[in-house]
């Protein structure tokens, strides 16, 4: 049976990587007394998938993990038992039976809040950002060639409230912008350098399942 | 300080190394004394160390003493900490390490010595013990490499020798009951297992855990984040080894053998699995297939947890142990055998009492059992090694491939690994020098040329780091200046090939009028005073000398478990071999 676990990541736990989060979730489930189903094949692995990797340093209010557990359990019980075994910084938001395709294959977009210092004229920056045709950032990585990303291609919306920017990033064929890149590129539209105090993923939006027809 | 640390973590690689908060960590804000335990390497290496988990549990059992952990920050983090003025902090409370009453640093390998100085410097503790004041913690070394305290003597206030379970309690008593650094050091001076270099070169004994009870086996071990090199539950089934391999430091340092009853091993393993959420259990020791109750333990564990991934490291090379490993763990596709030497002559020299028939039998049993990857560990540069021994390693790679083709089920690979022999203190080879770098390089080159590449992979240990390990393992006290000079020139994480800075070490040794190679290849005479002679391991020097002579005569000594007492001296101490019969 597949369960969809929605969980929050806060505080120091935000510094765990995607794979570390997966392992943390597996060991917490085992401590809670659940047996995790293994994949078929010569090297069986636990069947678990997080919907979309969270960048190191980004907090989250709603991470999604699909995991196959042996046996049939009440989702509320899974949530309760798991909550007692999660390390500091992780909180269970809810558990449901997962029906249909896994969340990881249905991610449409991800919503974020960036808490920012208001030493940038954000309204003017947003105006300049929206007026521009492109919003390019250069992504640098050690031992790799620089890569230019057009943030506007994946940023579906961005809005400013005092002390924060709210935005939504859509998955595109060419990838997805990073949340800090959105903040940087908006500020850069008026030549400013932003101060990001906190990045929080608020929601992972899934595409709705196609409705099946019984024949 | 928290905000500053968090700000720094935004910009470093693998920040999870520094955040703490793992499952089963212990926080004791009410404690009146703080003991900081340090593994001077990266988090993923240190968190996997079983000895430090035992010590963490041992210290935290005291209601008023808190044990907190620290590891050596990776250079990017260290740079950021220095830039921002952040002192080295513990994982549990993010408190400054220098606030501790005692800083215990485990010395598991010589190639962490430069990191010891990095840790002290980042903590804001003077490198040299003589420069410390009442404001500073007592810095104590422990672990197997402390068995030659000489090259690090000026940097430590004290060295604790041997196993912590009994003898370290007195050290903790001193920390808890005696106020002030000087008075505590006076108390430590009364402890026969503690060496205080500042008080002259005095004799020190190795502490031996006589009971070896299961209650000291931690069950609520700290569960590392995924990046750790070992993420599994482990129960130590046996301590010590009687095999008597003449190159093996652990084989002499941890004598005599003490075994735990199978039912206690099973209970401890099950409890640890429940507290950690691991899906793998390792039954650890220096030679798990020698553990008397190995079969009943495996059977009971498999009965209780049929799908559990059970691993048995460090096994004798023979068909029986291979079958045991296969039975214990059906999911594993690779198996490791360690013949160490490829010819009978050399196995007699090093006292590895296995035959060609046993090795070939083990290889055949492995492929028959369905393993698809076979790893074989050898050493080169052993005393009195000839071309035949090096050729023998190549031949074994080929022979293993032939056996695999004959009995294997489908695709397989053979992985031959050869490390460079490094003589260690307190072993029968402590008087031997390492082989010259040029000779070792020539042997490496020959093996690379001669070893076929189809279905065989050859890996050879880095010569540069092996030579440094050799230079430090049996070093005298004067080498401490080289350690400090190398650290000041940027040496860090020497065990990591990508981090190793040989020029820094070369210059450091040159400043003492010597070289890495000269120190590594140094031979001692049997009448020479050795730098570690003041450390009493429990084995007599006469036994070690006798074993050295036996190696020259190319004669192996029997295992005292089956072949009678070899009079090594270990059983004249507080406990004799304690086997489950």
């Amino acid at each position: 049976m597949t369960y969809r676990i929605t969980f929050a990541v806060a505080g120091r736990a935000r510094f765990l990587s995607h794979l570390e989060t997966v392992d943390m979730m597996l060991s917490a489930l085992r401590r809670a007394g659940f047996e995790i189903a293994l994949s078929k094949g010569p090297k069986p692995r636990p069947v678990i998938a997080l919907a979309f990797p969270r960048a190191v340093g980004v907090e989250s209010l709603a991470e999604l993990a699909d995991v196959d557990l042996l046996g049939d359990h009440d989702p509320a019980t899974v949530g309760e038992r798991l909550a007692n075994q999660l390390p500091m910084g992780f909180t269970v938001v809810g558990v449901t039976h997962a029906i249909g395709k896994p969340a990881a294959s249905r991610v449409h977009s991800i919503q974020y809040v960036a808490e920012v210092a208001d030493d940038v004229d954000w309204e003017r920056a947003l105006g300049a950002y929206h007026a521009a045709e492109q919003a390019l950032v250069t992504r640098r990585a050690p031992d790799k060639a620089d890569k230019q990303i057009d943030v506007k291609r994946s940023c579906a919306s961005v809005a400013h409230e005092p002390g924060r920017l709210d935005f939504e990033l859509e998955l595109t064929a060419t990838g997805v912008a990073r949340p800090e890149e959105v903040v940087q590129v908006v500020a850069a539209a008026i030549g400013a350098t932003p101060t990001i105090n906190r990045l929080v993923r608020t929601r992972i939006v899934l595409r709705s399942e196609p409705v099946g027809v019984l024949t | 300080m928290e905000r500053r640390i968090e700000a720094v973590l935004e910009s470093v690689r693998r920040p999870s190394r520094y955040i703490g908060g793992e499952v089963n960590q212990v926080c004791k804000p009410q404690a009146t004394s703080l003991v900081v335990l340090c593994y001077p390497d990266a988090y993923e290496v240190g968190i996997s160390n079983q000895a430090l988990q035992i010590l963490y549990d041992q210290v935290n059992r005291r209601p008023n003493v808190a044990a907190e952990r620290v590891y050596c920050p990776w250079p990017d983090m260290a740079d950021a900490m220095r830039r921002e003025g952040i002192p080295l902090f513990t994982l549990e409370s993010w408190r400054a390490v220098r606030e501790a009453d005692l800083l215990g640093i485990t010395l598991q390998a010589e190639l962490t010595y430069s990191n010891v100085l990095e840790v002290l410097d980042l903590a804001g503790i003077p490198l040299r013990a003589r420069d410390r004041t009442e404001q500073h913690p007592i810095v104590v070394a422990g672990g197997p490499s402390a068995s030659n305290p000489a090259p690090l003597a000026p940097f430590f206030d004290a060295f604790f020798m041997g196993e912590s379970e009994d003898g370290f309690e007195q050290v903790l008593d001193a920390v808890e009951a005696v106020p002030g650094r000087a008075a505590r050091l006076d108390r430590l001076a009364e402890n026969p297992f503690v060496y205080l270099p500042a008080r002259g070169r005095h004799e020190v004994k190795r502490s031996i855990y006589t009971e070896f009870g299961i209650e000291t086996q931690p069950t609520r071990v700290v569960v590392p984040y995924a990046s750790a090199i070992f993420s599994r539950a482990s129960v130590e089934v046996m301590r010590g080894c009687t095999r008597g391999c003449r190159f093996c430091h652990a084989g002499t340092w941890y004598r005599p053998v003490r075994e735990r009853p199978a039912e206690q091993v099973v209970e401890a393993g099950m409890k640890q699995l429940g507290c950690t959420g691991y899906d793998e259990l390792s039954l650890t020791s220096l030679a798990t297939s020698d553990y008397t109750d190995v079969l009943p333990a495996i059977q009971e564990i498999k009965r209780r947890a049929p799908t559990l991934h059970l691993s048995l490291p460090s096994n004798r090379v023979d068909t029986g142990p291979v079958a045991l490993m296969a039975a214990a763990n059906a999911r594993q596709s690779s198996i490791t055998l360690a013949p160490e030497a490829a010819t009978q002559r050399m196995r007699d020299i090093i006292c590895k009492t296995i035959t060609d028939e046993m090795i070939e039998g083990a290889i055949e049993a492995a492929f028959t059992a369905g393993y698809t990857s076979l790893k074989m560990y050898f050493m080169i540069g052993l005393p009195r090694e000839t071309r035949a021994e090096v050729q023998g390693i190549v031949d074994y790679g080929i022979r293993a491939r032939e056996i695999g083709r004959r009995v294997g089920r489908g695709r397989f690979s053979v992985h031959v690994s050869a490390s460079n022999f490094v003589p260690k203190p307190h072993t029968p080879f402590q008087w031997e020098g390492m082989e010259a770098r040029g000779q070792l390089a020539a042997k490496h080159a020959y093996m690379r040329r001669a070893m076929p590449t189809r279905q065989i992979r050859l890996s050879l240990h880095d010569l540069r780091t092996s030579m440094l390990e050799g230079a430090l393992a049996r070093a005298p006290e004067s080498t401490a200046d080289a350690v400090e000079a190398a650290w000041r020139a940027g040496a860090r994480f020497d065990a990591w090939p990508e981090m190793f800075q040989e020029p820094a070490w070369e210059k450091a040794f040159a400043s003492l009028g010597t070289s890495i190679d000269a120190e590594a290849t140094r031979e001692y005479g049997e009448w020479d005073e050795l730098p570690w002679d003041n450390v009493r391991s429990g084995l007599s020097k006469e036994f070690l000398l006798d074993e050295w002579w036996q190696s020259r005569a190319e004669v192996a000594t029997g295992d005292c478990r089956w072949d009678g007492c070899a009079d090594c001296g270990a059983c004249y101490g507080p406990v004799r071999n304690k086997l489950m019969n």
Side-chain angles (χ1 to χ4, degrees):
Chain A
M1 184 70 75
T2 306
Y3 296 84
R4 179 155 304 150
I5 301 165
T6 308
F7 63 100
V9 184
R12 294 185 205 173
R14 72 184 186 275
F15 292 112
L16 259 64
S17 69
H18 175 70
L19 288 178
E20 288 167 343
T21 307
V22 170
D23 270 30
M24 177 284 302
M25 184 59 72
L26 288 172
S27 66
L29 284 163
R30 288 194 203 100
R31 281 193 301 278
F34 297 108
E35 273 197 81
I36 298 153
L38 299 176
S39 62
K40 304 256 184 309
K43 285 192 177 175
R45 304 218 176 274
V47 181
I48 185 169
L50 265 56
F52 195 78
R54 176 186 50 82
V56 171
V58 176
E59 296 183 49
S60 178
L61 301 179
E63 290 298 281
L64 297 176
D66 285 351
V67 60
D68 281 13
L69 300 179
L70 296 183
D72 191 3
H73 309 280
D74 171 22
T77 310
V78 174
E80 276 168 31
R81 281 163 59 182
L82 176 63
N84 293 329
Q85 297 299 337
L86 287 174
M88 198 167 62
F90 291 92
T91 320
V92 176
V93 177
V95 180
T96 58
H97 284 300
I99 298 158
K101 288 188 175 177
S105 66
R106 291 171 46 210
V107 176
H108 170 263
S109 59
I110 304 127
Q111 296 172 355
Y112 291 94
V113 168
E115 293 181 6
V116 291
D118 276 337
D119 52 359
V120 172
D121 183 347
W122 288 108
E123 295 305 330
R124 193 163 70 86
L126 278 170
Y129 165 81
H130 287 305
E133 258 185 45
Q134 285 186 315
L136 295 175
V137 286
T138 305
R139 198 177 282 176
R140 294 194 165 89
D143 308 325
K144 283 184 185 167
D146 288 357
K147 191 176 171 187
Q148 286 227 309
I149 306 286
D150 183 3
V151 170
K152 290 192 91 168
R153 291 181 72 166
S154 66
C155 187
S157 67
V158 54
H160 174 245
E161 296 278 332
R164 60 189 267 184
L165 287 181
D166 293 18
F167 51 92
E168 182 166 356
L169 296 173
E170 285 179 358
L171 263 66
T172 67
T174 53
V176 62
R178 292 176 184 159
E180 70 275 18
E181 289 172 342
V182 176
V183 183
Q184 284 160 1
V185 87
V186 170
I190 55 166
T193 306
T195 304
I196 305 173
N197 295 321
R198 194 173 168 220
L199 278 169
V200 183
R201 178 185 276 184
T202 52
R203 191 178 163 215
I204 297 175
V205 182
L206 303 183
R207 277 191 298 273
S208 55
E209 284 264 44
V211 179
V213 178
L214 288 174
T215 55
Chain B
M1 188 158 89
E2 285 206 9
R3 286 194 72 83
R4 285 157 65 210
I5 295 172
E6 291 202 2
V8 159
L9 291 180
E10 300 283 354
S11 62
V12 299
R13 286 177 58 201
R14 290 201 187 176
S16 60
R17 286 168 167 158
Y18 314 104
I19 61 175
E22 307 99 314
V23 166
N24 296 334
Q25 80 161 21
V26 180
C27 290
K28 291 163 76 175
Q30 80 289 357
T32 51
S33 303
L34 174 62
V35 171
V36 173
L37 301 174
C38 171
Y39 191 106
D41 207 318
Y43 171 87
E44 54 269 35
V45 179
I47 191 73
S48 306
N49 181 259
Q50 210 177 352
L52 222 56
Q53 294 266 20
I54 291 172
L55 204 48
Y56 185 71
D57 182 68
Q58 182 183 353
V59 177
N60 273 324
R61 286 178 189 218
R62 292 183 170 237
N64 295 321
V65 186
E68 301 197 359
R69 296 161 298 137
V70 70
Y71 305 95
C72 188
W74 198 251
D76 64 341
M77 180 65 174
D79 290 347
M81 289 166 69
R82 287 192 171 99
R83 200 171 51 240
E84 300 297 325
I86 298 170
L88 189 65
F89 54 91
T90 64
L91 295 194
E92 279 76 4
S93 63
W94 282 12
R95 258 190 291 186
V97 167
R98 65 168 172 251
E99 291 174 19
D101 297 281
L102 185 144
L103 168 60
I105 302 180
T106 184
L107 303 175
Q108 297 285 328
E110 293 80 1
L111 295 179
T112 61
Y113 287 0
S114 59
N115 286 355
V116 170
L117 302 196
E118 177 76 343
V119 163
L120 292 173
D121 186 65
L122 283 168
I125 298 170
L127 299 186
R128 303 258 170 178
R130 64 168 185 244
D131 298 327
R132 291 177 200 141
T133 68
E134 283 288 328
Q135 319 303 318
H136 298 114
I138 292 174
V139 184
V140 183
S145 296
S147 64
N148 176 19
L152 292 183
F155 310 122
F156 283 97
D157 298 301
F159 287 82
F160 176 80
M161 294 297 164
E163 301 165 15
S164 72
E165 288 96 335
D166 280 342
F168 202 71
E169 286 297 320
Q170 296 161 43
V171 176
L172 296 173
D173 287 344
V175 169
E176 208 174 344
V178 182
R181 180 183 150 85
R184 282 172 179 163
L185 287 170
D186 285 341
R187 175 71 76 87
L188 293 187
E190 296 165 10
N191 187 326
F193 311 118
V194 173
Y195 170 51
L196 298 160
R199 303 194 179 194
R201 194 168 185 268
H202 59 87
E203 197 174 285
V204 56
K205 288 200 280 189
R206 177 173 67 95
S207 172
I208 299 168
Y209 181 27
T210 53
E211 290 304 314
F212 198 57
I214 198 72
E215 66 279 0
T216 56
Q217 168 71 53
T219 47
R220 297 189 71 84
V221 298
V222 178
V223 182
Y225 298 123
S227 49
I229 53 170
F230 294 126
S231 288
R232 60 190 180 208
S234 60
V235 177
E236 192 182 11
V237 297
M238 175 176 84
R239 193 170 291 175
C241 175
T242 49
R243 289 281 171 191
C245 302
R246 291 175 179 136
F247 57 84
C248 181
H249 179 263
T252 51
W253 188 246
Y254 293 106
R255 284 190 185 195
V257 168
R258 289 142 289 162
E259 295 188 329
R260 282 176 167 151
E263 62 273 16
Q264 294 184 3
V265 166
V266 174
E267 285 306 322
M270 290 297 138
K271 261 191 205 164
Q272 206 182 118
L273 287 167
C275 293
T276 58
Y278 286 129
D279 63 347
E280 180 179 354
L281 172 64
S282 178
L283 302 183
T284 62
S285 76
L286 293 173
T288 300
S289 57
D290 285 352
Y291 169 50
T292 307
D293 282 351
V294 66
L295 198 56
I298 291 171
Q299 286 168 340
E300 180 58 18
I301 291 167
K302 295 302 279 185
R303 191 186 67 77
R304 293 200 196 184
T307 58
L308 181 73
H309 190 134
L310 183 62
S311 62
L312 311 173
S314 309
N315 283 302
R316 184 171 167 76
V317 180
D318 205 348
T319 49
V322 169
L324 263 183
M325 284 187 271
N329 187 4
R331 271 161 60 189
Q332 189 87 354
S333 59
S334 70
I335 187 168
T336 303
L337 303 175
E340 313 288 3
T343 66
Q344 194 58 55
R345 172 182 168 269
M346 184 51 73
R347 287 195 294 273
D348 289 340
I349 289 175
I350 65 174
C351 196
K352 187 89 182 177
T353 51
I354 50 172
T355 62
D356 282 330
E357 290 71 31
M358 290 158 85
I359 300 171
E360 288 180 19
I363 295 169
E364 187 162 337
F367 284 125
T368 308
Y371 288 104
T372 54
S373 171
L374 169 72
K375 292 180 190 168
M376 289 196 295
Y377 286 155
F378 294 94
M379 279 190 287
I380 58 166
L382 286 159
R384 292 165 290 287
E385 186 173 79
T386 66
R387 194 181 178 85
E389 273 74 44
V390 182
Q391 180 62 46
I393 297 173
V394 175
D395 292 344
Y396 252 112
I398 297 168
R399 219 176 308 166
R401 184 178 66 177
E402 285 169 3
I403 295 171
R405 285 177 178 171
R406 182 161 50 80
V407 303
R409 306 177 201 159
R411 295 177 65 173
F412 70 92
S413 65
V414 175
H415 182 181
V416 176
S417 172
S419 62
N420 308 302
F421 164 67
V422 176
K424 298 282 176 161
H426 303 284
T427 68
F429 286 158
Q430 63 183 353
W431 293 276
E432 301 275 358
M434 260 184 94
E435 187 160 39
R437 187 188 296 247
Q439 286 290 303
L440 286 168
K443 289 175 180 178
H444 281 201
Y446 174 75
M447 289 172 71
R448 284 203 186 91
R449 278 200 312 274
M451 188 72 82
T453 53
R454 198 178 171 82
Q455 286 178 294
I456 303 178
R457 191 155 72 87
L458 174 69
S459 24
L460 301 166
H461 276 213
D462 191 330
L463 254 181
R464 305 165 310 153
T465 52
S466 294
M467 295 306 290
L468 178 63
E469 186 186 343
L472 295 173
R474 299 173 305 136
E477 193 162 328
S478 57
T479 301
D481 292 340
V483 176
E484 183 174 344
W487 169 76
R488 289 195 184 282
R492 314 270 188 282
F493 290 94
D494 299 303
W496 299 67
E498 72 273 28
M499 302 296 292
F500 183 55
Q501 298 191 39
E502 195 172 31
W505 282 102
E506 277 172 350
K507 275 188 198 159
F509 275 98
S511 68
L512 298 183
T514 181
S515 66
I516 296 173
D517 289 18
E519 294 300 314
T521 56
R522 179 203 295 261
E523 290 178 1
Y524 287 104
E526 59 195 79
W527 298 107
D528 288 347
E529 175 78 10
L530 302 172
W532 53 92
D533 267 353
N534 61 320
V535 179
R536 301 284 182 227
S537 71
L539 273 66
S540 70
K541 199 166 183 180
E542 290 69 30
F543 168 76
L544 296 179
L545 267 174
D546 193 43
E547 279 295 290
W548 189 34
W549 291 328
Q550 290 287 80
S551 84
R552 290 173 160 189
E554 302 179 7
V555 175
T557 303
D559 185 326
C560 66
R561 207 184 252 260
W562 297 283
D563 303 325
C565 177
D567 212 16
C568 70
C571 291
Y572 299 142
V575 61
R576 299 169 62 86
N577 279 344
K578 200 171 163 187
L579 308 175
M580 291 295 129
N581 289 321

